[in-house]
Structure formats: C-alpha cells, structure tokens
Amino acid sequence: MTSSCTIQFFVFSITLIFSVSYLSASHAPNSEPHPYKLPIKKDPVTNVFYTSVGIGNPRHNIDVAIDLTGESLWYDCAINYNTLSYIPVSCDSHSCPTKSTIPCVTCHGPFKPGCTNNTCGTYNYNPLAQVTFPGDLAQDFIFISQIQVSGIRSGCTNAHKFTSNLVGGLPKGSKGMLGLARSELAVPTQLALLKKLPLKFSLCLPSSNNIGFTNLLIGPEGHEQSQDVSKYIQTTPLVVNHFDTGPLFEEEYFIDVKSIKIDGNVVNLKPSLLSIDRKGNGGTKISTITRFAELQTFVYKPFVRGFLKKAADRRLKRVASVAPFEACFDSRSIGNSFTGFVVPTIDLVLQGGVQWTIHGANSMVMVKKNVACLAFVDGGTMATMSFFKASIVLGAHQLEENLLAFDVASSKLSFSSSLLLHNVTCSHL
Ligand SMILES: *[C@@H]1O[C@H](CO)[C@@H](O)[C@H](O)[C@H]1NC(C)=O
Ligand SMILES: *[C@@H]1O[C@H](CO)[C@@H](O)[C@H](O)[C@H]1NC(C)=O
C-alpha cells in the first residue's frame, strides 16, 4: 500500500511538471483570445456535431461527438491504438472519482491502453446508440488545437470485447464523445481546475460546414466578448437539477422557461408543467445530441395548436404531416429571409424576463421537396417513460447559429438567439 502510494505520488509530480509545456507555441498567434479552442464540425450524414482531439504520444487525432450532457471524454482504444504516455488511474488514487465510476477493472491480456490491472473503471455512455460501455480511466496527453495538456483524465474502451456497437450513431470515423456536462470528469471542469481558470465554455454550432469553421472555446475568454455579438447577448440562470435523475444524467444544463409565446401570444400552459418538480422531472434541458426539440405531450399539443393557428393567420398552406413532425406546410407558401423561413416566431420567456427567440432557420426543417415542417417532436408522456424526462429538450437544430456561453462557475447561460438576424454566423466569431 505504502509503496503504491509513493509511486502514485511520483507519477503525479512528473505529470505536474509536464503540464506546463506547450508543444508548439509558435502555432498559436498572440492575438488568439484563448488557447483552449476546438473546431466544431457538422457531419452531413448524421447531422451530429463533432470535434477532433489529439490524444497520447504518438498523438492520435480522434474525432469525438460533442455532447453537452456527457460526463467525460471517452474514446475507443481497441484497435491500432498505442501510446507511451498512457497512465491508468489506479483504484486507490484520488483521481478516481467516487461518483459515476464502476468498481476496479482488471484485464488478462497483455498490458496496453484499455487493458490494465487495478484501474479505476468508467461508464462510457453513447446516447446516440443508447449504450453504455465499461472502460478504463486514464491520464494521457490531450492536445487542444496545438496546445498539449497533461493530467486530463479520459475513458478508454476496448470496444472489440463487446458485441454492441460502441460508436453507433456517431459520424463515420468518430471514435468517442466529448462530454461537457457539469461533472468532475468533463474536460472543461478538469481544465479549469488544472489551469486555475473559471469554469466557462462557449460554443456556436454551424448550420453547415460550407460557411466556415466555428469553435468550442474553453476558459474565460468566450465568444460572448466578441464585438460582433456582445450587444445581442442576454443572460439567464442555469438551473441545477438537484434531484437524482439517473446514474449519468444529473449534471445536465437546464434553463427556466416560464412561458412560450408564438407570434406574441402566450401558449396556454400551466407554468408548473414547465418547471422541475420534486422528483427532478420537468424543466428545459439543452442538448447537442437530440437533433430536434422534444416537448412532452402536455406541452407539445398546445404548442403545435398555437403554431398552427398563427400559421393559418399568416396564410401558410398546411400539408399532410410527415413523421415525426405534425405541423407541415407547402414551402412555396412560405417566404424566406435572413433567418430562414418566415413563420410564426417562437419566444421562450426565461427567468429574469429575457427571451430566447426562435426563427424559421431553427424552428423549421425541409423534409422533402416543397414540404417544410415545424422541427419539434412529441417527446411522449411521463407515463410512457420509466425514467426522468424534461418538459422541453432543446435540440441541436434549435441551437445552430446561436451563440451559447456557459458560465458554469456562476451558473449562468449567455445566449444570442439567432445570429442570422444580425447578418452574422457562428463562423464570424
Ligand atoms: C493482471 O493481473 C493478473 C493476475 O495477477 C495477471 O495474470 C495479468 O497478466 C495482469 N494483467 C496485466 C494487463 O498486467
Ligand atoms: C450581410 O453581410 C454580407 C457579408 O458578410 C454583406 O455582403 C451584406 O451586404 C450584408 N447584408 C446586410 C443587409 O447587412
């Protein structure tokens, strides 16, 4: 026990010494607002947003899907994966979190990343395939753009041991996920602690890769400080759902939607249906993995009714529904503007009186030739769900070309609504 602690301490000291080394500082121009910057790309096939993170020595560039609700960075380390700088986190180390980890992992194969003894186990969750895989928690070099950071823990899974598909639903070539939740193992949390930075990150999802790169920024200098957008930014508290909502879901980002307006008319809903109840159900969650917003049935029904009424007032021509959407229109009857189709405007009225406005580019989707639908789906009811359910899940489609800055330390979200309204896109930031 004593000797293992000593070794542990020794390894930890070395890690700390290395952690200040920058790989190639010359690649990072001085004008750069902040070093921790990851490109955001949209996969045209799955519409999943992903980034690329360098891991290990030699460096492996691994594409990982961006998951606001994910707890950690995890990746498939089964095939053609080797790294000399890999340090498994031992079960008795402080770096092995007590929460959300599985008991000590052992392995009978030859030593390699993902096959070590007395190693802190992790749950690596892929919400797109709805599978959870056990993995090993390890420290290795992480490269965020050109900057090398050591001491970041991530989950490495030897996927070939399992029959179901660890990377199901991810963009082709992606081998893991980057979780950004309010959790101990999320990369922003670890970076903030390691570099003594306030825990903040900001992201802006591009509607297409053709109009340029956008970035995920981790650290104090977020996009919201950019001259272009600071005047459009509004702020609302991030709500912490204190209730246990499942083994992996308790650290997600919620905002407090008080009411919903469609073309200025308040949708007839009891406010209590939107707030988080005593069991942790309800509330409005933000997700980069859910593609289209999901509303629980009791919110969805009046919401769609309200939208259809205003659409009729605007003389939009309704056509047959195309599953999973209900409110569909002949796109030739809808005008176009900077902010997409000209349709009834949806306002989410938030705590503090601010409003998140959703225009056509974020509320509508083309489903086939000449048919555009309201891109919100019926998320079912509590009765049909055996686990926790939010009243509203805002999906990636609703977030495109909207700037979101998560000030986790102060529990605040700054948001821009659609940048398109100001003739700006995420790639301008
Ligand atoms: C783990 O320990 C077992 C039993 O001592 C041993 O057979 C095995 O080779 C070890 N695995 C590794 C990866 O060192
Ligand atoms: C919007 O921006 C583009 C270039 O970014 C410019 O060419 C165009 O004139 C702008 N339109 C308006 C209405 O500001």
Side-chain angles (χ1 to χ4, degrees):
M1 191 65 186
T2 315
S3 70
S4 103
C5 280
T6 314
I7 291 168
Q8 194 64 43
F9 179 73
F10 181 64
V11 169
F12 185 62
S13 317
I14 290 181
T15 314
L16 278 184
I17 293 162
F18 278 124
S19 70
V20 288
S21 69
Y22 283 159
L23 226 215
S24 54
S26 59
H27 282 223
N30 290 336
S31 60
E32 217 157 44
H34 200 275
Y36 304 112
K37 187 168 170 179
L38 288 165
I40 303 177
K41 287 169 250 179
K42 180 180 181 178
D43 177 47
V45 177
T46 57
N47 291 298
V48 169
F49 292 90
Y50 66 100
T51 188
S52 184
V53 176
I55 306 179
N57 172 28
R59 172 176 172 168
H60 298 259
N61 292 320
I62 302 181
D63 284 352
V64 286
I66 297 168
D67 181 6
L68 263 180
T69 64
E71 288 220 311
S72 63
L73 166 65
W74 64 260
Y75 54 96
D76 175 359
C77 56
I79 300 158
N80 295 333
Y81 189 80
N82 206 1
T83 155
L84 302 171
S85 43
Y86 185 88
I87 307 168
V89 172
S90 90
C91 293
D92 38 21
S93 145
H94 304 297
S95 306
C96 181
T98 47
K99 231 164 94 181
S100 323
T101 52
I102 50 178
C104 231
V105 175
T106 57
C107 183
H108 293 293
F111 179 98
K112 74 176 281 291
C115 183
T116 55
N117 275 333
N118 188 35
T119 301
C120 183
T122 57
Y123 287 114
N124 300 328
Y125 177 56
N126 175 353
L128 288 162
Q130 300 201 336
V131 290
T132 301
F133 286 80
D136 295 1
L137 191 66
Q139 289 189 357
D140 207 337
F141 294 133
I142 302 281
F143 298 83
I144 298 181
S145 305
Q146 296 305 322
I147 299 168
Q148 175 183 324
V149 187
S150 37
I152 300 275
R153 289 159 290 162
S154 55
C156 158
T157 282
N158 239 321
H160 73 268
K161 288 194 296 197
F162 309 103
T163 49
S164 51
N165 190 3
L166 173 69
V167 294
L170 297 184
K172 192 164 186 282
S174 288
K175 291 187 136 199
M177 301 190 83
L178 176 73
L180 299 173
R182 192 193 283 107
S183 59
E184 182 179 348
L185 291 179
V187 170
T189 313
Q190 294 194 62
L191 262 181
L193 205 65
L194 211 61
K195 304 293 181 187
K196 302 200 164 44
L197 298 171
L199 177 44
K200 281 177 156 187
F201 64 91
S202 66
L203 54 88
C204 201
L205 303 181
S207 49
S208 143
N209 288 336
N210 304 332
I211 54 177
F213 277 120
T214 76
N215 289 300
L216 163 65
L217 300 182
I218 304 174
E221 308 279 320
H223 294 106
E224 73 280 15
Q225 279 131 343
S226 131
Q227 289 285 313
D228 279 348
V229 297
S230 55
K231 45 189 178 295
Y232 316 127
I233 295 288
Q234 302 186 80
T235 300
T236 192
L238 281 170
V239 180
V240 181
N241 187 341
H242 287 293
F243 302 91
D244 254 20
T245 53
L248 292 165
F249 308 108
E250 57 194 2
E251 285 147 351
E252 302 171 322
Y253 299 108
F254 284 79
I255 51 174
D256 189 4
V257 174
K258 299 285 192 195
S259 64
I260 305 171
K261 293 197 286 195
I262 299 178
D263 266 354
N265 271 43
V266 177
V267 175
N268 189 10
L269 280 172
K270 261 204 294 184
S272 63
L273 294 177
L274 296 174
S275 55
I276 297 174
D277 72 14
R278 287 207 207 138
K279 290 185 188 138
N281 294 303
T284 297
K285 174 173 116 174
I286 306 172
S287 168
T288 50
I289 290 295
T290 300
R291 185 165 172 212
F292 300 110
E294 289 178 10
L295 311 185
Q296 273 203 48
T297 303
F298 55 75
V299 178
Y300 181 78
K301 295 271 184 224
F303 173 78
V304 171
R305 257 198 314 275
F307 190 89
L308 285 172
K309 185 168 171 301
K310 290 294 178 184
D313 291 351
R314 286 173 177 253
R315 303 195 191 291
L316 307 188
K317 189 173 162 230
R318 192 167 177 202
V319 297
S321 304
V322 177
F325 307 111
E326 195 170 319
C328 296
F329 305 89
D330 183 332
S331 58
R332 293 166 298 185
S333 71
I334 316 177
N336 257 298
S337 73
F338 272 144
T339 51
F341 283 123
V342 181
V343 292
T345 304
I346 300 164
D347 290 311
L348 305 178
V349 182
L350 300 165
Q351 191 175 336
V354 295
Q355 296 190 7
W356 179 326
T357 302
I358 303 175
H359 297 279
N362 299 112
S363 63
M364 302 297 289
V365 60
M366 275 307 278
V367 294
K368 58 184 187 191
K369 191 160 187 268
N370 300 333
V371 179
C373 298
L374 177 64
F376 286 68
V377 301
D378 185 347
T381 61
M382 295 295 295
T384 60
M385 307 299 304
S386 54
F387 52 88
F388 161 79
K389 196 90 170 99
S391 304
I392 300 175
V393 180
L394 291 175
H397 186 73
Q398 278 68 43
L399 307 182
E400 288 179 1
E401 308 299 351
N402 280 241
L403 167 63
L404 298 180
F406 294 83
D407 182 341
V408 187
S410 326
S411 220
K412 279 190 288 206
L413 174 73
S414 297
F415 63 95
S416 64
S417 294
S418 181
L419 293 174
L420 303 176
L421 192 61
H422 310 291
N423 199 22
V424 177
T425 66
C426 290
S427 59
H428 288 89
L429 304 182

